[in-house]
């Protein structure tokens, strides 16, 4: 049979699964924990410094995020962040530096296709959905919180 | 001490995200999207605020903190100016990080080429 | 009426066997450092190969492979009647843009990672049928062009799935002729598309294993042979997982490949964790054949080899639409000198 029936396909998928190498769940968890935690420590150092300088907390927090975005962007530009990501997985993808990486990497990647339809159009290839779902979920949550409960 | 707490909380969030990546079919993009939404929901339930108090940057730097930030901004503006505040509040609060991401993203693409 | 050269359900057996008078392989730095390194005819120091985009670099590698292969056989472009070429890029542009520079009648083909063997089979048929004196088959792939087309931007930081494979940056070309000395193509078995419902594009080895099994079985049946009649059965890029699955499926059918089978995907790189399940891409079997197997056939170290390249015929679009991955495998058997 060229195209397997649903049952054949299910059986084959089961068979194949047995040959997959096991995911190193515990090791990956620790790696993500270490790297993700360390990135947050860098953020905390910046935050503490700004607060100590007398910057109001909310503003200091925004400035910290922006600085972390800059660092993520720079490390992506230098070709280092993808190496960190290969090691740490979500440990470097989940912090806001990873959000910056998801914006800078397609921007750089599609530079050769031009600065309008390449860089700018592709920039939010991965970050776009994050913004869309961030907006959707937070709007629903806020409406419920402010006007319903 | 703030540093230790940031490490523990931030690391835990990243570790949990990794756990989901390794045990489900989700890809990194889907987890990033989900993290923002989860952060927004936790924020709405009043759980994320205490986490920020506890973990500091450890709670605000991961993308869950981005969801929390959006909700915080919306709720603030909505209590001040009603329903319209829902539309203005989110990105007002998140504006710095977003502008930084766009500007630095563009800048880096001008300065650097991908190395592969 | 012409006497048919068909045998069995799917195989062409050539009466006048086309000679593979030369073959050449070109690659990037990572492949150059691998076990096949010394066998390559040209190793580029970086993945851009002196061009300003990876697409151009891939096209350049493909062209270099053809030019070097022709030079090794002391032939010029005008001596070649057909060029079969293909790659993984949309609209096989690496090959088309290569053809622009070469001035050889050009037939673009797409069989994903099976392209090289598809090309060799078609070229052999034209030469054996008397329609060409010389024909060239070539295939190329490039890690970075494939990443940006099929996966994420190259600088995006994520962990590769352990089942995924690393696309070879490189190109291979083989020159077939109706006279001369060298290994000879004995037969060509064109595969039928198989789809066993694998959806994960990061597990192409599993998706392609049934195609490998189907074509191998057809070939052996058509030729009334067993695996032991070959010194080597070389698969394209099943990788570690695909190879294991394929051998398991074959055992169930009573065919034992132990000691005979090698997979090109496991020959290109040192198998570090980064490589995951192995190498892949059109350039995989193309370079392994040109840099290693062709030489061993020419030196008489191998007497009879079966090359079976598998290709996964999906696209990023079909994967996003949750379609399963159809796969194909083509085989040619080659006799050593």
């Amino acid at each position: 049979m060229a195209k397997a029936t649903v049952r054949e396909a299910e059986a084959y998928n089961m068979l194949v699964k047995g040959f997959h190498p096991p995911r190193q769940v515990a090791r990956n968890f620790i790696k993500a924990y270490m790297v993700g935690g360390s990135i947050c420590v860098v953020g905390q150092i910046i935050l503490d410094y700004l607060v100590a300088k007398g910057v109001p907390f909310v503003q200091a927090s925004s400035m910290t995020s922006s600085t972390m975005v800059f660092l993520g962007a720079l490390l992506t530009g230098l070709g280092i962040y993808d190496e960190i990501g290969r090691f740490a997985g979500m440990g470097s993808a989940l912090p806001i530096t990873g959000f910056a990486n998801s914006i800078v990497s397609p921007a750089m990647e599609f530079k050769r296709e031009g600065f309008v339809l390449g860089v700018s159009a592709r920039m939010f290839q991965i970050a776009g959905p994050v913004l869309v779902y961030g907006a959707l979920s937070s709007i629903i949550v806020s409406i419920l919180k402010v006007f319903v409960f | 001490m703030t540093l230790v707490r940031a490490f523990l909380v931030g690391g835990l969030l990243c570790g949990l995200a990794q756990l989901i990546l390794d045990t489900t079919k989700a890809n990194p993009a889907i987890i990033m999207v989900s993290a923002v939404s989860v952060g927004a929901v936790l924020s709405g339930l009043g759980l994320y605020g205490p986490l920020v108090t506890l973990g500091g940057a450890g709670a605000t730097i991961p993308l869950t903190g981005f969801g929390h930030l959006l909700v915080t901004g919306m709720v603030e503006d909505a209590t001040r100016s009603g329903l319209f505040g829902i539309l203005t509040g989110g990105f007002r609060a998140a504006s710095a990080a977003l502008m930084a991401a766009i500007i630095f993203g563009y800048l880096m693409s001008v300065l650097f080429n991908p190395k592969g | 009426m012409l006497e048919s050269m068909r045998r069995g359900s799917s195989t062409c057996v050539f009466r006048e066997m086309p000679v593979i008078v030369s073959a050449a392989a070109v690659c990037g730095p990572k492949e150059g450092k691998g076990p096949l390194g010394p066998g390559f005819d040209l190793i580029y120091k970086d993945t851009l190969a002196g061009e300003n985009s990876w697409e151009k670099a891939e096209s350049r590698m493909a062209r270099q492979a053809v030019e070097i292969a022709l030079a090794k056989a002391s032939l010029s472009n005008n001596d070649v009647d057909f060029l079969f070429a293909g790659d993984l890029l949309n609209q096989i542009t690496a090959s088309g843009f290569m053809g622009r520079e070469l001035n050889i009648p050009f037939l673009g083909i797409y069989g994903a990672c099976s392209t090289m063997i598809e090309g060799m089979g078609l070229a052999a048929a034209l030469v054996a049928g008397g329609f060409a004196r010389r024909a060239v088959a070539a295939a190329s792939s490039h890690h970075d062009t494939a990443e940006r087309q099929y996966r994420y931007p190259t600088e995006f930081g994520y962990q590769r799935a352990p089942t995924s494979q690393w696309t070879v940056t490189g190109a291979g070309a083989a020159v077939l002729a109706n006279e001369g000395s060298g290994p000879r193509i004995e037969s060509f078995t064109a595969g039928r598309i198989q789809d066993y419902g694998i959806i994960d594009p990061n597990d192409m080895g599993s998706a392609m294993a049934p195609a490998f099994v189907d074509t191998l079985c057809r070939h052996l049946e058509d030729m009334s042979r067993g695996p032991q009649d070959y010194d080597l059965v070389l698969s394209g890029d099943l990788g570690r997982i695909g190879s294991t699955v394929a051998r398991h499926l074959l055992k169930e059918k009573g065919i034992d490949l132990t000691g005979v089978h090698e997979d090109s995907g496991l020959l290109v790189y040192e198998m570090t964790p980064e490589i995951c399940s192995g190498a892949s891409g059109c350039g995989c079997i193309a370079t392994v054949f040109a840099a290693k197997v062709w030489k061993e056939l020419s030196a008489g170290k191998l007497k009879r080899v079966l090359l079976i390249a598998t290709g996964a015929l999906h696209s990023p679009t079909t994967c996003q639409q949750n379609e399963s991955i159809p796969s194909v495998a083509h085989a040619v058997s080659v006799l050593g000198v």
Side-chain angles (χ1 to χ4, degrees), chain A residues 2 4 12 16 20 101 109 112, chain C residues 52 148 154-155 157 195 203 206:
Chain A
Y12 184 66
V16 163
H20 284 178
N101 171 251
E109 185 69 63
R112 288 162 189 144
Chain C
N52 59 16
R148 74 204 294 260
T154 53
E155 297 297 335
D195 186 340
D203 187 14
S206 301

Side-chain angles (χ1 to χ4, degrees), chain C residues 294-319:
Chain C
W294 178 75
K295 288 176 181 162
E296 290 175 0
L297 284 160
S298 301
K301 277 193 233 164
L302 294 169
K303 286 295 170 208
R304 195 193 268 159
V305 169
L306 186 62
L307 309 169
I308 308 187
T310 47
L313 304 175
H314 65 295
S315 79
T317 307
T318 63
C319 285

